[in-house]
């Protein structure tokens, strides 16, 4: 769709609930929440622009290229034996990015999350960080979207700090370990999932590439087990070595020991 603005034309897309989804008050709140966050984040060049909102629909700028399709090879899964055979004579990532591109994209993703966590009127947690939430503009820049799960953290006037929140039991295989324990959460869940994206950038595969069984991934994460990182990545290039160095900082099991997204941005810029 083309949207005329004076003598300019801007392509937009309409995001609306499908008929198979319930159109109830909770769904309406999710769409409204997304619209509010996108409107408040208008000044960020790293967040998709909102043009309108009505009922169960939002209209936003059209960002044409799905970043996940550029990062992940095929379905993103392989057996341990297949990966070992591929890499026996030297590491061969499943995507075609240069080491410099990997570092640049990692920084862009971190900066867009930092725009949310550092919002001047309060912390916004994306709460669903994964590669598919970023789109690529025609000039190669990344923009973050999809905020219907996002949480605007509440401020405790008495304690002088942000209140943690609870999403109940988590699903999927891309979340922080504390989400699977259904305990109170904060913005550090985004930091953990962000480094899942880093792993995918480095390798071209999902972090637990040898299984698509969510239950097995849940058990591993709750037990403190992390994705296997081939130690040769540390020496393949300076940039990839630094990305590998960032992984354990973001993947710390205890969220209080996990670095903030601002620390990640600082590390990547340096």
């Amino acid at each position: 769709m083309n949207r005329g603005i004076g003598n300019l034309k801007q392509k937009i897309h309409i995001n609306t609930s499908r008929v198979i989804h319930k159109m109830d008050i909770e769904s309406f709140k999710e769409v409204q929440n997304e619209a509010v966050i996108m409107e408040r984040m208008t000044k960020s060049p790293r967040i998709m622009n909102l043009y309108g909102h009505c009922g169960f629909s939002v209209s936003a700028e059209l960002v044409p290229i799905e970043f996940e399709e550029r990062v992940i090879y095929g379905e993103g899964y392989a057996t341990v034996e297949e990966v070992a055979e591929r890499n026996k004579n030297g590491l061969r990532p499943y995507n075609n990015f240069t080491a410099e591109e990997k570092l640049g994209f990692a920084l862009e993703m971190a900066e867009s999350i930092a725009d949310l966590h550092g919002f001047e009127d309060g912390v916004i947690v994306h709460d669903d960080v994964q590669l598919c939430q970023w789109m690529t503009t025609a000039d190669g820049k990344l923009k973050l979207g999809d905020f219907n799960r996002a949480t605007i953290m509440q401020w405790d006037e008495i304690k002088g700090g942000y209140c943690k929140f609870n999403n109940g039991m988590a699903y999927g295989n891309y979340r922080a370990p504390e989400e699977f324990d259904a305990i109170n959460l904060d913005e550090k869940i985004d930091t953990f999932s962000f480094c899942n994206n880093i792993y995918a950038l480095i390798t071209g595969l999902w972090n637990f590439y040898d299984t698509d069984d969510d239950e097995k991934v849940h058990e591993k994460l709750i037990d403190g087990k992390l994705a296997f990182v081939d130690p040769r990545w540390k020496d393949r290039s300076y940039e990839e070595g630094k990305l590998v160095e960032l992984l354990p900082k973001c993947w710390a099991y205890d969220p209080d020991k996990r670095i903030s997204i601002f620390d990640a941005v600082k590390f990547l810029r340096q």
Side-chain angles (χ1 to χ4, degrees):
M1 179 184 293
N2 289 327
R3 176 179 182 267
I5 309 175
N7 294 323
L8 300 176
K9 283 189 175 181
Q10 172 68 50
K11 289 185 176 181
I12 69 173
H13 81 272
I14 304 293
N15 186 15
T16 189
S17 296
R18 292 189 290 175
V19 176
I20 61 172
H21 295 152
K22 285 184 179 180
M23 292 192 180
D24 54 20
I25 188 63
E26 291 304 316
S27 298
F28 175 77
K29 287 180 179 178
E30 287 183 357
V31 177
Q32 184 183 51
N33 188 57
E34 178 171 50
V36 167
I37 291 172
M38 291 179 74
E39 188 278 327
R40 298 296 284 136
M41 297 303 301
T42 297
K43 70 179 182 180
S44 170
R46 293 169 282 269
I47 305 293
M48 290 184 192
N49 288 321
L50 175 80
Y51 296 132
H53 158 58
C54 181
F56 292 88
S57 302
V58 296
S59 61
E61 69 173 313
L62 179 63
V63 188
I65 306 167
E66 292 190 15
F67 187 53
E68 180 181 310
E69 293 183 357
R70 301 175 62 198
V71 178
I72 293 295
Y73 172 79
E75 296 297 317
Y77 295 102
T79 66
V80 172
E81 292 75 20
E82 287 171 340
V83 175
E85 177 64 24
R86 180 183 177 86
N87 294 330
K88 68 179 182 180
N89 295 319
L91 292 169
R92 294 172 56 208
Y94 282 81
N95 56 39
N96 295 316
F97 295 133
T98 66
E100 292 87 352
E101 286 174 328
K102 292 176 182 180
L103 182 63
F105 286 133
L107 177 57
E108 285 189 71
M109 286 191 287
E111 288 176 331
S112 59
I113 298 171
D115 285 346
L116 296 176
H117 291 189
F119 179 56
E120 59 193 7
D121 290 331
V123 176
I124 301 172
V125 184
H126 189 280
D127 204 358
D128 197 18
V129 168
Q130 41 186 325
L131 287 171
C132 62
Q133 313 297 25
W134 277 269
M135 305 292 284
T136 313
T137 63
D139 60 354
K141 300 296 183 182
L142 298 185
K143 288 210 171 189
L144 175 60
D146 197 347
F147 302 101
N148 55 19
R149 274 187 58 98
T151 297
I152 302 171
M153 294 186 72
Q154 303 299 303
W155 181 262
D156 188 323
E157 293 282 0
I158 297 175
K159 295 181 179 179
Y162 285 100
C163 304
K164 292 194 175 187
F165 58 96
N166 196 308
N167 286 335
M169 187 59 68
Y171 300 95
N173 57 13
Y174 218 66
R175 301 192 174 278
E178 61 267 28
E179 295 183 78
F180 297 116
D181 275 344
I183 61 176
N184 291 338
L185 311 170
D186 60 19
E187 72 277 9
K188 293 290 187 67
I189 62 174
D190 285 351
T191 308
F192 188 97
S193 296
F194 160 70
C195 263
N196 291 340
N197 289 354
I198 299 298
Y199 186 92
L201 268 178
I202 295 170
T203 65
L205 297 170
W206 298 121
N207 46 324
F208 291 104
Y209 56 80
D210 60 335
T211 179
D212 60 359
D213 187 328
D214 289 354
E215 291 294 330
K216 289 182 179 179
V217 175
H218 297 179
E219 292 171 3
K220 287 181 178 180
L221 288 170
I222 291 172
D223 289 342
K225 298 176 182 177
L226 298 172
F228 169 71
V229 181
D230 193 313
R232 290 176 292 174
W233 285 111
K234 294 180 181 179
D235 302 315
R236 187 172 184 267
S237 69
Y238 174 80
E239 293 84 0
E240 288 164 318
K242 286 298 178 182
L243 291 177
V244 169
E245 187 179 333
L246 181 61
L247 291 176
K249 301 175 187 292
C250 298
W251 277 345
Y253 186 86
D254 183 347
D256 291 332
K257 296 179 180 178
R258 196 176 300 155
I259 65 170
S260 71
I261 199 65
F262 309 112
D263 293 329
V265 168
K266 182 179 179 181
F267 179 88
L268 291 167
R269 284 178 178 170
Q270 288 176 342

